[in-house]
Amino acid sequence: MAYDTDRSLQTQVLYSVYVRAHTPEGTFRAVIPDLDRIRSLGTDIVWFMPIHPIGVEGRKGSLGCPYANRDYRTVNPAYGTLDDFKALVDEIHARGMKVIIDVVYNHTSPDSVLYAEHPEFFYHDAEGRPGNRYGDWADVIDLDYANRALWDYQIESLRYWASIVDGFRCDVASLVPLNFWREARKAVKEVRPDCIWLAETVHLSFNCEARRLGFSAMRDTEGYEAFDMEYSYDIREVFDEMVRGRRPLSEYVNLLNLQEALYPDNYNKLRCLENHDQPRIASVVTDMEALVNWTAMLYFLKGTTMIYAGQEWADTHVPSLFEREPIDRETGRSLMPLMKKLAAIKKTLFTGEDHFWGTADDQRRVAVLERFGPQKHCVGVFSLNGENARVKVKLPDGTYENHIGGNLVKVEDGELLCDGTPLILSEDR
């Protein structure tokens, strides 16, 4: 783990905003009226997906993908001006939240400012053409970090943005050399001492395949040398199968336990049910009682909790990366009261020094998870089918208050009855 990582990040909530999709206007200024509501969800950090201009050459769709960056040092004019963005950042800071922005350092658009000025900074194939080392991404070309001058340019860009924002979400960070990230963290610290570094580490199969093909791919264990948080994509493929009932719940829970055993003591995985690259959880878990349990379990897991804008309304559609598709706020379903309660529980009961353990009942699809903190032992029971179940828990016999619903739960002979709603119980240590 980065030696100066703030452990309190583990008790925080991150809210992901795609400016194009967040409002009908799709602008920086249009986000401002929604900030009080975002803050009310217990949000500590607002993450903006890429805010930079989008390339035209190779563009996908009518508007192009924000991850096809045309210029690292300006903002997308469709969103507004740099002053508009700074005003938005000021409003976020005024509400006690921090801001991180996406930095896409593996590639740019083919017509990027950087390629026009420094074609030597880019990967070229055997025929001398710029392209991709790995993956069929027709709207981008890969950078080549063998050129040390590229490091200077990229770090200078990071230092510039660090004077405005509080941190970075680093796209496909695993494909950029770890030594670059180490150097960047050190340099940015001079500008923003408490800068937040979030790595989009990649799926297990992607990581291994890249190395099989001879390309460098940072392992998650290595990434913690430079980053404060990493994606939980190391076990995401099992999660995706498990949530659809194709793999047992116990397999996923055992991988959560493996993370606890494998990573540094203060490791932090970004925990999400959905994001801009994954299906909406409500499109997979269609029963609301079950969805409530999945949401509660998300907040109980060790690590920073992420909400992808629209998740709070149980949206089922992921906004296109290539078109304007505002999120649906009129679904008639709201998880906001639950999320507010869960965020408060996360900040009150959990600490950055907690340890984790979990077990699962595959037949009834019930997860029983534990958090061991310096002063509290917390037990979470999550019926992922939203059904009644009697489960074993490691709590002394007695009556406990459910921190979510306020109802009383009796533990007798080491068992309790779960009525299909999620439970979070605690005892002093």
Side-chain angles (χ1 to χ4, degrees):
M1 199 74 188
Y3 72 94
D4 54 353
T5 288
D6 182 358
R7 282 179 180 258
S8 71
L9 288 169
Q10 295 205 26
T11 67
Q12 296 185 12
V13 175
L14 180 150
Y15 188 93
S16 174
V17 172
Y18 180 17
V19 174
R20 180 190 288 168
H22 198 74
T23 64
E25 298 86 351
T27 64
F28 295 132
R29 295 272 182 182
V31 177
I32 294 175
D34 197 31
L35 292 178
D36 288 334
R37 185 195 64 82
I38 291 172
R39 180 61 179 139
S40 76
L41 294 174
T43 301
D44 302 282
I45 304 166
V46 179
W47 155 33
F48 288 102
M49 290 166 55
I51 61 170
H52 305 297
I54 296 169
V56 175
E57 185 178 340
R59 172 175 287 186
K60 294 181 179 180
S62 62
L63 298 177
C65 178
Y67 289 91
N69 187 336
R70 193 174 188 181
D71 188 350
Y72 286 113
R73 299 182 178 180
T74 60
V75 298
N76 186 346
Y79 293 171
T81 65
L82 179 59
D83 284 342
D84 291 334
F85 179 68
K86 288 180 177 180
L88 174 56
V89 171
D90 287 344
E91 293 288 346
I92 292 170
H93 285 163
R95 289 162 174 80
M97 297 182 288
K98 293 188 174 182
V99 179
I100 66 174
I101 60 170
D102 235 307
V103 289
V104 186
Y105 270 22
N106 180 66
H107 48 260
T108 73
S109 69
D111 55 347
S112 67
V113 169
L114 192 57
Y115 183 74
E117 295 177 353
H118 294 285
E120 72 277 11
F121 286 176
F122 288 78
Y123 162 81
H124 290 77
D125 63 20
E127 276 125 29
R129 298 171 301 190
N132 310 120
R133 295 167 299 167
Y134 181 67
D136 182 21
W137 299 333
D139 57 343
V140 295
I141 53 176
D142 286 0
L143 290 158
D144 182 3
Y145 282 83
N147 190 320
R148 286 287 309 193
L150 171 61
W151 292 36
D152 296 336
Y153 182 94
Q154 298 291 60
I155 289 173
E156 184 181 345
S157 298
L158 288 168
R159 285 169 59 92
Y160 165 73
W161 286 108
S163 69
I164 301 170
V165 301
D166 305 289
F168 304 103
R169 180 265 188 190
C170 303
D171 189 63
V172 286
S174 304
L175 299 187
V176 176
L178 175 59
N179 284 338
F180 167 81
W181 294 124
R182 287 197 194 102
E183 190 168 313
R185 184 185 182 103
K186 182 178 179 181
V188 168
K189 189 176 179 65
E190 297 172 357
V191 178
R192 180 76 61 173
D194 57 351
C195 184
I196 300 167
W197 292 86
L198 165 61
E200 187 203 21
T201 41
V202 297
H203 288 74
L204 182 151
S205 61
F206 186 110
N207 196 303
C208 292
E209 178 67 6
R211 290 199 297 273
R212 187 185 72 82
L213 295 173
F215 305 125
S216 174
M218 179 180 71
R219 293 170 172 82
D220 285 22
T221 49
E222 298 168 330
Y224 278 126
E225 296 176 28
F227 290 92
D228 303 303
M229 295 183 279
E230 294 182 347
Y231 270 43
S232 196
Y233 276 178
D234 52 333
I235 63 174
R236 181 74 194 198
E237 288 158 315
V238 171
F239 172 86
D240 289 340
E241 292 288 298
M242 179 273 297
V243 75
R244 292 167 174 79
R246 298 170 188 160
R247 292 202 189 189
L249 173 62
S250 60
E251 184 176 355
Y252 174 67
V253 172
N254 285 337
L255 288 175
L256 292 171
N257 294 336
L258 181 62
Q259 288 180 332
E260 180 73 9
L262 181 65
Y263 294 122
D265 181 61
N266 61 336
Y267 80 97
N268 188 355
K269 284 288 184 179
L270 183 71
R271 304 295 182 181
C272 68
L273 294 175
E274 61 182 56
N275 59 51
H276 66 271
D277 284 325
Q278 305 296 330
R280 293 281 195 186
I281 189 65
S283 70
V284 182
V285 179
T286 56
D287 177 79
M288 277 301 289
E289 289 187 9
L291 186 58
V292 164
N293 276 271
W294 284 95
T295 303
M297 186 173 76
L298 169 69
Y299 281 75
F300 193 91
L301 295 178
K302 182 175 175 177
T304 302
T305 301
M306 177 192 146
I307 305 168
Y308 180 45
Q311 183 177 339
E312 63 267 47
W313 292 291
D315 281 359
T316 57
H317 176 68
V318 179
S320 170
L321 287 178
F322 317 117
E323 307 294 344
R324 177 169 294 157
E325 295 179 350
I327 54 180
D328 183 5
R329 301 168 187 248
E330 305 297 331
T331 63
R333 304 188 295 177
S334 175
L335 292 166
M336 282 193 284
L338 174 66
M339 288 177 163
K340 292 176 183 180
K341 184 67 175 179
L342 292 169
I345 291 170
K346 184 179 185 74
K347 298 174 194 298
T348 302
L349 292 183
F350 305 151
T351 76
E353 298 179 0
D354 289 357
H355 299 289
F356 173 90
W357 184 255
T359 59
D361 181 331
D362 288 328
Q363 183 176 356
R364 291 174 291 185
R365 294 262 285 179
V366 177
V368 180
L369 310 180
E370 297 179 80
R371 297 282 297 262
F372 304 91
Q375 297 177 337
K376 293 284 187 183
H377 170 218
C378 301
V379 175
V381 179
F382 308 103
S383 176
L384 301 183
N385 287 338
E387 299 174 355
N388 295 357
R390 182 164 288 279
V391 297
K392 294 182 180 295
V393 293
K394 291 182 180 178
L395 285 170
D397 286 359
T399 301
Y400 298 82
E401 179 183 357
N402 177 15
H403 290 282
I404 300 177
N407 55 302
L408 297 180
V409 178
K410 186 175 183 179
V411 176
E412 190 172 19
D413 296 328
E415 291 186 345
L416 61 76
L417 177 63
C418 168
D419 65 359
T421 60
L423 306 175
I424 295 180
L425 316 176
S426 67
E427 62 170 335
D428 293 334
R429 297 187 73 183

